[in-house]
Amino acid sequence: MKIMNFKDKLFEEIPRNMKVVAITGTNGKTTTTRLIAHILEVSGYMVGMTSTGGIYINGKCIYKGDTTGPKSALDVLTNKDINAAVLETARGGIIRDGLAYDFADVAVITNITEDHLGIDGVQTLEDLAKVKALVGEAVKTEGYVVINGDDNISVSILDRFNSNLIIFSMDKNNEILQSNIKNGGYGIYIDEDNIIVKKGTNSKKLIGVNSIGITMKGALKFNIENAMAACGAAIGLGINYDIIKQGLMSFFCNENQNPGRFNQYFVNDIMVILDYGHNLGSYKSVFNALKNIEHNKLIGVIGSPGDRLDGLIMQVGKCAGENLDYIFIKENEDKRGRVKGEVMDILEKGVLKTNFHSENIKKISEEIEAFRAALDFAQPRDIIVIFIENPKPFKIGRASCRE
């Protein structure tokens, strides 16, 4: 596994006063990136952001598409209209071209789970962790690396970092978190449904979980983690706690602020959830969240990228079979090396491993047609969850968005 260097492609000096935050991980990267950018904007920074949705300069999209590589990062870093860069940083770009900067002020690693294995020389979870660790290694000595203390693989790479640590955890008694606090570092955790920030003996009740916009009043547990990660990044940059709280309260899971991430719509008393989930971890997170929402039937429109290992695709199907009442299996437009229908067949095999009734499965290759079929099938008080191929707003006719 060879990791190339991008420094020889730099053609302009990055401004010295530029604050740089890099975010990597498996799940939650985009939401955390967008939330960090929002908090910085609230605090008065002029922000450039790269993400799976595009490049944004001061809130305006200047380029749509997946922009999580170093070339897109460089476009932001050399932009003279901003003084803060928030960079979603994906595995592929790191491996092919390295990073677009020498050192960041803050790095965030949301979690590291099985995804993209078998691609670009990354064969194991340990290989993937080494790639993600590079983002944390490229942080100024006086800077901060924000780590998920509940994720064992992320914790396993802590000794690779030379900067300060900020550990976040859903458990206030997490050993890694408590150790970091005892060593003078920051800990961010949940206690009695509040986010607590602690450094040494000083603790601050920052915000109630139910007041955080992206948690939907606490229902979305995975977004509690993303909120803590974003909080850690803001603390690492020295943002005032009141500003952080304001930012957390004013950022929502809607198509304007966080498109493709648990966006909620209603069509004739049928709830529709749009999510970009495309691996086992994201599917599990969405299904766990839906358990907290009252409904009759749970109907899924599922798919998977073709460049995943057969076993990982089958796990997604199995997870769907364990959680859904009816399933429509669709196929991504970009086959990523697969022949037509191949991924759908693998997903179906995974679903059937759970003794799911075959008559409750229907395969419809085109995403929009699969969704329409699900919508025609659904009844009032049902929930349809569709795992969309692209993280852009998905048009669903007369559906109305609700934060």
Side-chain angles (χ1 to χ4, degrees):
M1 180 178 62
K2 182 181 179 181
I3 297 177
M4 300 176 64
N5 197 313
F6 194 68
K7 293 185 178 65
D8 58 347
K9 298 181 182 180
L10 295 177
F11 59 91
E12 288 187 54
E13 183 179 355
I14 298 170
R16 291 187 178 183
N17 65 340
M18 176 82 71
K19 295 295 184 182
V20 179
V21 183
I23 302 93
T24 195
T26 301
N27 293 312
K29 297 189 301 295
T30 301
T31 295
T32 301
T33 298
R34 290 169 173 165
L35 180 51
I36 292 169
H38 176 73
I39 293 171
L40 293 184
E41 288 168 356
V42 171
S43 73
Y45 277 98
M46 309 297 285
V47 180
M49 179 183 74
T50 63
S51 71
T52 53
I55 298 174
Y56 289 77
I57 302 296
N58 294 322
K60 181 180 180 181
C61 183
I62 64 169
Y63 181 84
K64 292 183 178 180
D66 188 342
T67 60
T68 55
K71 294 178 182 178
S72 299
L74 187 60
D75 287 341
V76 168
L77 290 165
T78 55
N79 189 293
K80 294 180 172 56
D81 294 329
I82 65 169
N83 55 14
V86 183
L87 310 173
E88 182 177 350
T89 308
R91 163 209 56 84
I94 299 172
I95 293 173
R96 289 187 290 271
D97 292 310
L99 301 171
Y101 55 86
D102 287 324
F103 295 101
D105 296 278
V106 176
V108 178
I109 300 178
T110 58
N111 50 65
I112 304 172
T113 61
E114 289 184 333
D115 197 18
H116 295 103
L117 300 185
I119 305 172
D120 294 327
V122 177
Q123 302 298 330
T124 67
L125 199 53
E126 289 71 25
D127 290 341
L128 185 60
K130 290 177 182 177
V131 175
K132 302 289 187 182
L134 292 173
V135 177
E137 292 172 11
V139 174
K140 298 172 182 176
T141 304
E142 68 275 18
Y144 288 87
V145 179
V146 181
I147 287 284
N148 184 347
D150 297 327
D151 182 62
N152 291 334
I153 300 299
S154 297
V155 169
S156 73
I157 57 176
L158 284 177
D159 61 356
R160 299 174 70 100
F161 308 136
N162 296 316
S163 55
N164 303 297
L165 296 176
I166 298 176
I167 307 295
F168 67 91
S169 172
M170 295 289 289
D171 178 12
K172 66 179 181 180
N173 296 314
N174 179 286
E175 291 183 6
I176 303 300
L177 176 138
Q178 288 298 332
S179 176
N180 195 54
I181 292 173
K182 288 178 182 177
N183 291 330
Y186 281 99
I188 301 172
Y189 56 88
I190 303 300
D191 187 24
E192 297 182 351
D193 291 327
N194 294 297
I195 287 184
I196 308 297
V197 180
K198 188 171 183 179
K199 190 176 191 297
T201 58
N202 297 319
S203 62
K204 166 72 174 179
K205 183 169 73 174
L206 183 67
I207 188 173
V209 165
N210 292 353
S211 297
I212 301 171
I214 58 170
T215 71
M216 290 187 175
K217 297 184 178 180
L220 306 188
K221 303 300 182 185
F222 59 91
N223 271 343
I224 298 175
E225 294 183 345
N226 293 333
M228 287 193 290
C231 176
I235 288 171
L237 291 176
I239 304 298
N240 178 276
Y241 284 0
D242 289 337
I243 296 294
I244 297 174
K245 179 179 179 180
Q246 184 180 342
L248 293 174
M249 292 177 65
S250 57
F251 186 82
F252 298 93
C253 286
N254 58 40
E255 65 179 68
N256 295 318
Q257 291 182 303
N258 201 22
R261 269 65 184 182
F262 213 90
N263 298 160
Q264 185 180 31
Y265 302 82
F266 287 87
V267 184
N268 299 327
D269 293 325
I270 299 165
M271 182 187 294
V272 178
I273 302 295
L274 269 56
D275 197 273
Y276 180 54
H278 55 280
N279 56 41
L280 181 62
S282 55
Y283 268 65
K284 284 182 176 179
S285 294
V286 169
F287 291 143
N288 286 336
L290 292 173
K291 291 175 183 177
N292 297 319
I293 301 175
E294 187 177 346
H295 61 274
N296 288 334
K297 298 188 301 294
L298 185 56
I299 303 163
V301 181
I302 70 171
S304 175
D307 58 355
R308 270 46 171 191
L309 299 174
D310 287 8
L312 296 180
I313 296 174
M314 197 171 295
Q315 285 180 29
V316 168
K318 184 173 182 290
C319 181
E322 292 169 343
N323 288 278
L324 295 168
D325 299 307
Y326 292 84
I327 295 175
F328 294 82
I329 303 177
K330 51 96 174 180
E331 192 166 50
N332 287 354
E333 185 176 346
D334 183 355
K335 303 295 186 292
R336 300 194 185 187
R338 299 279 186 170
V339 299
K340 186 175 181 179
E342 185 179 2
V343 171
M344 289 197 297
D345 289 343
I346 298 171
L347 284 168
E348 184 179 33
K349 289 179 182 177
V351 172
L352 293 175
K353 279 183 173 292
T354 66
N355 297 318
F356 196 89
H357 293 298
S358 59
E359 62 266 26
N360 293 341
I361 305 173
K362 189 168 185 178
K363 291 193 285 187
I364 302 176
S365 60
E366 292 188 17
E367 183 173 86
I368 187 64
E369 295 304 321
F371 170 69
R372 286 172 177 162
L375 198 57
D376 289 339
F377 174 77
Q379 298 293 319
R381 300 186 73 244
D382 289 347
I383 295 178
I384 299 173
V385 55
I386 173 169
F387 295 93
I388 56 178
E389 178 179 1
N390 294 310
K392 60 185 179 183
F394 189 88
K395 303 302 179 184
I396 58 176
R398 298 179 180 178
S400 59
C401 178
R402 187 174 88 181
E403 292 179 358

Coordinates of all heavy atoms in Angstrom, one line a residue, residues 363-392:
K363 N -37.3 -6.6 -6.4 CA -36.1 -6.0 -7.0 C -36.6 -5.1 -8.2 O -37.2 -5.5 -9.1 CB -35.2 -7.1 -7.5 CG -34.5 -7.8 -6.4 CD -33.4 -8.7 -6.8 CE -33.8 -9.9 -7.6 NZ -32.7 -10.8 -7.9
I364 N -36.2 -3.8 -8.1 CA -36.5 -2.8 -9.1 C -35.2 -2.0 -9.3 O -34.7 -1.3 -8.4 CB -37.6 -1.9 -8.7 CG1 -38.9 -2.7 -8.5 CG2 -37.8 -0.8 -9.8 CD1 -40.0 -1.8 -8.0
S365 N -34.5 -2.1 -10.4 CA -33.1 -1.7 -10.5 C -33.0 -0.1 -10.4 O -32.1 0.3 -9.8 CB -32.5 -2.1 -11.9 OG -33.3 -1.6 -13.0
E366 N -33.9 0.6 -11.0 CA -33.8 2.1 -11.0 C -34.3 2.6 -9.7 O -35.3 2.3 -9.2 CB -34.6 2.7 -12.1 CG -34.0 2.4 -13.5 CD -34.7 3.2 -14.6 OE1 -35.3 4.2 -14.3 OE2 -34.5 2.8 -15.8
E367 N -33.4 3.5 -9.1 CA -33.7 4.0 -7.7 C -35.0 4.8 -7.6 O -35.8 4.5 -6.7 CB -32.6 5.0 -7.3 CG -32.7 5.6 -5.9 CD -31.4 6.3 -5.6 OE1 -31.4 7.6 -5.9 OE2 -30.5 5.8 -5.0
I368 N -35.3 5.6 -8.6 CA -36.5 6.4 -8.5 C -37.8 5.6 -8.7 O -38.8 5.8 -8.0 CB -36.5 7.6 -9.5 CG1 -37.7 8.5 -9.3 CG2 -36.5 7.1 -11.0 CD1 -37.7 9.2 -8.0
E369 N -37.7 4.5 -9.5 CA -38.8 3.6 -9.7 C -39.0 2.8 -8.5 O -40.2 2.5 -8.1 CB -38.6 2.7 -11.0 CG -38.5 3.5 -12.3 CD -39.8 4.3 -12.5 OE1 -40.9 3.8 -12.2 OE2 -39.7 5.5 -13.0
A370 N -37.9 2.3 -7.9 CA -38.1 1.6 -6.6 C -38.7 2.4 -5.5 O -39.6 1.9 -4.8 CB -36.7 1.1 -6.2
F371 N -38.4 3.7 -5.5 CA -39.0 4.5 -4.5 C -40.5 4.7 -4.8 O -41.3 4.7 -3.9 CB -38.3 5.9 -4.4 CG -39.0 6.9 -3.6 CD1 -39.1 6.8 -2.3 CD2 -39.6 8.0 -4.2 CE1 -39.8 7.7 -1.5 CE2 -40.3 8.9 -3.5 CZ -40.4 8.8 -2.1
R372 N -40.8 5.0 -6.0 CA -42.2 5.1 -6.4 C -43.0 3.9 -6.0 O -44.2 4.0 -5.6 CB -42.3 5.5 -7.9 CG -41.9 6.9 -8.2 CD -41.8 7.1 -9.7 NE -41.5 8.5 -10.0 CZ -41.0 8.9 -11.2 NH1 -40.9 8.0 -12.2 NH2 -40.7 10.2 -11.4
A373 N -42.5 2.7 -6.3 CA -43.2 1.5 -5.9 C -43.4 1.4 -4.4 O -44.5 1.0 -4.0 CB -42.4 0.3 -6.5
A374 N -42.4 1.8 -3.7 CA -42.5 1.8 -2.2 C -43.6 2.7 -1.8 O -44.4 2.4 -0.8 CB -41.2 2.1 -1.6
L375 N -43.6 3.9 -2.4 CA -44.6 4.9 -2.0 C -46.0 4.5 -2.4 O -46.9 4.7 -1.6 CB -44.3 6.2 -2.7 CG -44.9 7.5 -2.2 CD1 -44.5 7.7 -0.7 CD2 -44.4 8.7 -3.0
D376 N -46.2 3.8 -3.5 CA -47.5 3.2 -3.9 C -47.9 2.1 -2.9 O -49.1 2.0 -2.6 CB -47.4 2.7 -5.3 CG -47.3 3.8 -6.3 OD1 -47.7 4.9 -6.0 OD2 -46.9 3.5 -7.5
F377 N -47.0 1.4 -2.4 CA -47.3 0.3 -1.5 C -47.6 0.7 -0.1 O -48.4 0.1 0.6 CB -46.1 -0.7 -1.5 CG -46.2 -1.8 -0.5 CD1 -47.0 -2.9 -0.8 CD2 -45.5 -1.7 0.7 CE1 -47.1 -3.9 0.2 CE2 -45.6 -2.8 1.7 CZ -46.4 -3.9 1.4
A378 N -47.0 1.8 0.4 CA -47.1 2.2 1.8 C -48.5 2.7 2.1 O -49.2 3.2 1.2 CB -46.0 3.3 2.0
Q379 N -48.8 2.6 3.4 CA -50.1 3.1 3.9 C -49.8 4.2 5.0 O -48.6 4.3 5.5 CB -50.8 1.9 4.6 CG -51.2 0.8 3.6 CD -52.2 1.3 2.6 OE1 -53.2 2.0 2.9 NE2 -52.0 0.9 1.4
P380 N -50.8 5.0 5.3 CA -50.6 6.0 6.4 C -49.9 5.4 7.6 O -50.3 4.3 8.0 CB -52.0 6.6 6.6 CG -52.7 6.4 5.3 CD -52.1 5.1 4.8
R381 N -49.0 6.2 8.2 CA -48.3 5.9 9.4 C -47.2 4.8 9.2 O -46.5 4.4 10.1 CB -49.2 5.4 10.6 CG -50.2 6.5 10.9 CD -51.1 6.1 12.2 NE -50.3 6.2 13.4 CZ -50.0 5.1 14.1 NH1 -50.4 3.9 13.8 NH2 -49.3 5.3 15.2
D382 N -46.9 4.5 7.9 CA -45.8 3.7 7.6 C -44.6 4.6 7.5 O -44.7 5.8 7.3 CB -45.9 2.9 6.3 CG -46.9 1.8 6.4 OD1 -47.3 1.4 7.5 OD2 -47.3 1.3 5.3
I383 N -43.4 4.0 7.6 CA -42.1 4.8 7.3 C -41.4 4.1 6.1 O -41.3 2.9 6.1 CB -41.2 4.8 8.5 CG1 -41.8 5.6 9.6 CG2 -39.8 5.4 8.1 CD1 -40.9 5.6 10.9
I384 N -41.0 4.9 5.1 CA -40.2 4.5 4.0 C -38.8 5.1 4.3 O -38.7 6.3 4.4 CB -40.7 4.9 2.7 CG1 -42.1 4.4 2.4 CG2 -39.7 4.5 1.5 CD1 -42.7 4.9 1.1
V385 N -37.8 4.2 4.3 CA -36.4 4.7 4.3 C -35.7 4.3 3.0 O -35.8 3.2 2.6 CB -35.6 4.2 5.5 CG1 -35.6 2.7 5.6 CG2 -34.2 4.7 5.5
I386 N -35.2 5.3 2.3 CA -34.5 5.0 1.1 C -33.0 5.4 1.2 O -32.7 6.6 1.6 CB -35.2 5.7 -0.2 CG1 -34.3 5.6 -1.4 CG2 -35.5 7.2 0.1 CD1 -35.0 6.0 -2.7
F387 N -32.2 4.5 0.9 CA -30.7 4.7 1.0 C -30.3 5.2 -0.4 O -30.1 4.4 -1.3 CB -30.0 3.5 1.5 CG -30.3 3.1 2.9 CD1 -31.4 2.2 3.1 CD2 -29.7 3.7 4.0 CE1 -31.7 1.9 4.5 CE2 -30.0 3.4 5.3 CZ -31.0 2.5 5.5
I388 N -30.1 6.5 -0.6 CA -29.9 7.1 -1.9 C -28.4 6.9 -2.3 O -27.5 6.8 -1.5 CB -30.3 8.6 -1.9 CG1 -29.6 9.3 -0.9 CG2 -31.8 8.7 -1.8 CD1 -29.9 10.8 -0.9
E389 N -28.3 6.9 -3.7 CA -26.9 6.7 -4.2 C -26.0 7.9 -4.1 O -24.9 7.8 -3.7 CB -27.0 6.3 -5.7 CG -25.6 6.2 -6.4 CD -25.7 5.8 -7.8 OE1 -26.9 5.6 -8.3 OE2 -24.7 5.6 -8.4
N390 N -26.6 9.1 -4.3 CA -25.8 10.3 -4.3 C -26.3 11.2 -3.1 O -27.5 11.3 -2.9 CB -25.9 11.1 -5.6 CG -25.3 10.3 -6.7 OD1 -24.1 9.9 -6.6 ND2 -26.0 10.1 -7.8
P391 N -25.4 11.9 -2.4 CA -25.8 12.7 -1.3 C -26.3 14.1 -1.7 O -25.9 15.1 -1.1 CB -24.4 12.9 -0.5 CG -23.4 12.8 -1.6 CD -23.9 11.9 -2.6
K392 N -27.2 14.1 -2.6 CA -27.8 15.4 -3.0 C -29.3 15.3 -2.7 O -29.9 14.2 -2.6 CB -27.6 15.6 -4.5 CG -28.2 14.6 -5.4 CD -27.8 14.8 -6.9 CE -28.4 13.7 -7.8 NZ -28.0 13.9 -9.2

